[in-house]
């Protein structure tokens, strides 16, 4: 039986709501600027949870952005993990990347070109969207591709094609970065996936059924069936996935199918949610991935005993077989504890494979 486990790790209208620079009291050519904006998403209007479809987005602008209004910049879209939000990318400490300070440092040292970083808030009523389309919380993948990117290209001076556009994601965001580029490879040229969750493991429908029945029983009745005490802690994490694969808009408050509504088709959808399955479903004969550079990484203490290092390496290899220029990295550590150390290598990788800032035509 294949392994299946879920870890605890967890448009176009823009309104500027404020700007902050972490490392200086006023904007200067030595430091970038972080602006907080709102991006409205028509793709999120269909959510049944009542969430307003305008989302906070934090945008890092490099030091020269307001010094020269004739330069266009590459853009990296940053996808946070389960339970996080846009600000997670800007916090300090071992479990956060402090991305604006690190960009300032790497630009000053010449290790990266100036880039715009766009971090969105995808924390929905299920606490995590997985950056997928959902009948319950809205179409989050469409939000990125159809609402957010056009809005950013419209407001800021970006290189608005694949050569100037990349993705970085952590945990759930790493999963989302990979699935987004699989959906729209023509829009990106570089992807970095940090610890892209245990969905690098290949699920099977039978185990999915066991998990889903236990989850649904707890969500819809509050009862914990034998062997599933874990649901007391993972209720919302499991529900977030079921809101994509087994949505039930007419079954509040859980909005996922109750046990009597579930069928083997739901378990197949769960089976197809993992990255190995999504890669297998790609028609590489009609889609080109050869222009895309991919970097993945995972810690050797991330869910030890479940083979995440080997599984992440295998997913990376499979993406390479699609045509991506893929590289895998293993580091000493767990799921959260080395983000502040590994962020530099990921930013350097993205800069290397994205177009440099260029004169506006």
């Amino acid at each position: 039986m294949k392994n299946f486990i879920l870890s605890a790790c967890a448009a176009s209208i823009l309104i500027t709501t404020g700007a902050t620079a972490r490392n200086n009291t006023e904007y200067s050519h030595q430091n970038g600027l972080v602006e907080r904006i709102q991006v409205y998403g028509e793709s999120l209007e269909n959510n049944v949870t009542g969430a307003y479809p305008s989302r906070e987005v934090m945008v890092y602008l490099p030091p020269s952005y307001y010094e020269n209004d004739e330069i266009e910049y590459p853009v990296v879209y940053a996808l946070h993990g389960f339970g996080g939000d846009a600000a997670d990318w800007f916090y300090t400490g071992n479990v956060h990347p402090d991305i604006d300070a690190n960009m300032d440092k790497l630009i000053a040292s010449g290790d990266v070109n100036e880039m715009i970083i766009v971090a969105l808030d995808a924390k929905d009523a299920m606490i995590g969207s997985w950056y997928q389309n959902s009948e319950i919380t809205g179409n989050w993948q469409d939000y990125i591709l159809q609402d957010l990117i056009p809005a950013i290209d419209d407001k800021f001076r970006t290189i608005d094609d694949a050569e100037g556009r990349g993705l970085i994601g952590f945990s759930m965001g790493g999963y989302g970065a990979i699935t987004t580029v699989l959906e729209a490879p023509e829009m990106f040229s570089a992807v970095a996936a940090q610890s892209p969750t245990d969905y690098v493991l290949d699920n099977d429908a039978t185990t999915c059924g066991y998990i889903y029945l236990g989850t649904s029983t707890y969500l819809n009745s509050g009862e914990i069936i034998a062997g599933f005490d874990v649901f007391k802690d993972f209720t919302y994490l499991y529900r977030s996935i079921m809101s994509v694969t087994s949505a039930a808009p007419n079954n509040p408050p859980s909005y996922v199918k109750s046990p009597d509504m579930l069928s083997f088709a739901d378990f197949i959808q769960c089976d197809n949610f993992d990255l190995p399955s999504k890669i297998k479903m790609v028609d590489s004969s009609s889609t080109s991935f050869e222009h895309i550079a991919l970097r993945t990484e995972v810690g050797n203490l991330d869910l030890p005993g479940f083979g995440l290092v080997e599984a992440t390496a295998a997913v990376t290899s499979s993406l390479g077989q699609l045509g991506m220029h893929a590289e895998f990295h293993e580091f000493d550590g767990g799921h959260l504890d080395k983000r502040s150390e590994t962020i530099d290598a990921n930013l350097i990788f993205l800069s290397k494979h994205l177009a440099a800032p260029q004169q506006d035509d």
Side-chain angles (χ1 to χ4, degrees):
M1 180 178 291
K2 302 170 188 176
N3 288 323
F4 183 101
I5 187 168
L6 295 175
S7 65
C9 56
S12 317
I13 301 172
L14 296 96
I15 306 168
T16 302
T17 60
T20 59
R22 180 182 301 280
N23 302 310
N24 55 318
T25 55
E26 65 180 42
Y27 180 73
S28 72
H29 66 277
Q30 286 89 14
N31 296 95
L33 186 73
V34 179
E35 294 189 0
R36 291 177 181 265
I37 63 176
Q38 293 283 324
V39 177
Y40 186 89
E42 291 184 6
S43 301
L44 303 179
E45 290 178 349
N46 69 322
N47 82 85
V48 300
T49 64
Y52 187 60
S54 183
R55 307 300 300 184
E56 180 179 65
V57 177
M58 297 180 68
V59 182
Y60 168 86
L61 299 173
S64 73
Y65 187 84
Y66 286 117
E67 302 288 338
N68 186 340
D69 61 6
E70 296 183 352
I71 301 296
E72 295 177 336
Y73 298 85
V75 185
V76 173
Y77 290 85
L79 312 184
H80 63 74
F82 185 82
D85 56 24
D88 277 5
W89 289 97
F90 299 88
Y91 293 142
T92 59
N94 287 343
V95 300
H96 297 289
D98 199 9
I99 199 167
D100 53 333
N102 279 295
M103 279 296 297
D104 288 342
K105 175 192 68 178
L106 293 170
I107 291 169
S109 66
D111 288 317
V112 302
N113 293 318
E114 290 193 312
M115 302 185 292
I116 296 172
I117 308 292
V118 177
L120 69 149
D121 176 11
K123 185 177 182 179
D124 57 16
M126 304 294 171
I127 308 184
S129 69
W130 294 87
Y131 305 96
Q132 306 299 298
N133 293 340
S134 167
E135 293 182 67
I136 307 304
T137 61
N139 295 332
W140 283 95
Q141 188 174 81
D142 290 349
Y143 174 76
I144 294 172
L145 298 174
Q146 301 174 19
D147 298 322
L148 178 61
I149 290 175
I152 295 298
D153 286 341
D154 182 64
K155 182 174 177 66
F156 298 101
R157 298 193 314 277
T158 66
I159 300 173
D160 59 353
D161 56 27
E163 291 184 355
R165 195 178 293 129
L167 288 161
I168 185 171
F170 168 71
S171 191
M172 179 186 78
Y175 172 93
I178 292 173
T179 56
T180 300
V181 79
L182 287 176
E183 176 65 22
E186 73 281 0
M187 296 182 66
F188 306 96
S189 61
V191 185
Q194 301 175 276
S195 304
T197 79
D198 25 309
Y199 272 107
V200 294
L201 298 170
D202 199 353
N203 305 333
D204 68 84
T206 300
T207 309
C208 279
Y210 188 56
I211 293 287
Y212 270 27
L213 285 169
T215 304
S216 182
T217 300
Y218 179 74
L219 286 172
N220 287 282
S221 69
E223 297 179 6
I224 302 172
I225 65 176
F228 278 91
D229 287 352
V230 68
F231 290 119
K232 292 175 60 178
D233 302 312
F234 292 139
T235 298
Y236 287 100
L237 187 138
Y238 290 122
R239 186 173 73 150
S240 68
I241 297 160
M242 293 185 73
S243 73
V244 176
T245 65
S246 297
N250 297 320
N251 187 37
S254 72
Y255 292 111
V256 300
K257 292 181 179 179
S258 58
D260 62 309
M261 299 167 67
L262 288 169
S263 69
F264 193 71
D266 294 289
F267 309 153
I268 293 294
Q269 288 298 312
C270 167
D271 182 12
N272 290 337
F273 192 77
D274 62 63
L275 288 173
S277 297
K278 287 191 175 294
I279 294 168
K280 291 174 187 175
M281 289 186 284
V282 172
D283 181 5
S284 58
S285 65
S286 61
T287 306
S288 176
F289 294 91
E290 294 181 354
H291 64 288
I292 295 173
L294 168 76
R295 184 186 194 277
T296 66
E297 66 178 23
V298 69
N300 53 19
L301 298 179
D302 195 340
L303 285 182
F306 287 94
L308 290 198
V309 171
E310 295 79 8
T312 305
V315 163
T316 308
S317 177
S318 295
L319 292 167
Q321 292 172 23
L322 288 180
M324 296 186 195
H325 302 276
E327 58 182 64
F328 166 74
H329 297 266
E330 176 185 350
F331 61 85
D332 292 327
H335 194 69
L336 292 167
D337 57 353
K338 294 294 177 69
R339 289 188 72 195
S340 62
E341 297 180 24
T342 65
I343 186 64
D344 285 7
N346 286 282
L347 292 172
I348 291 170
F349 174 86
L350 291 166
S351 178
K352 177 182 177 182
H353 294 284
L354 292 174
Q358 60 190 29
Q359 196 75 16
D360 186 356
D361 294 335

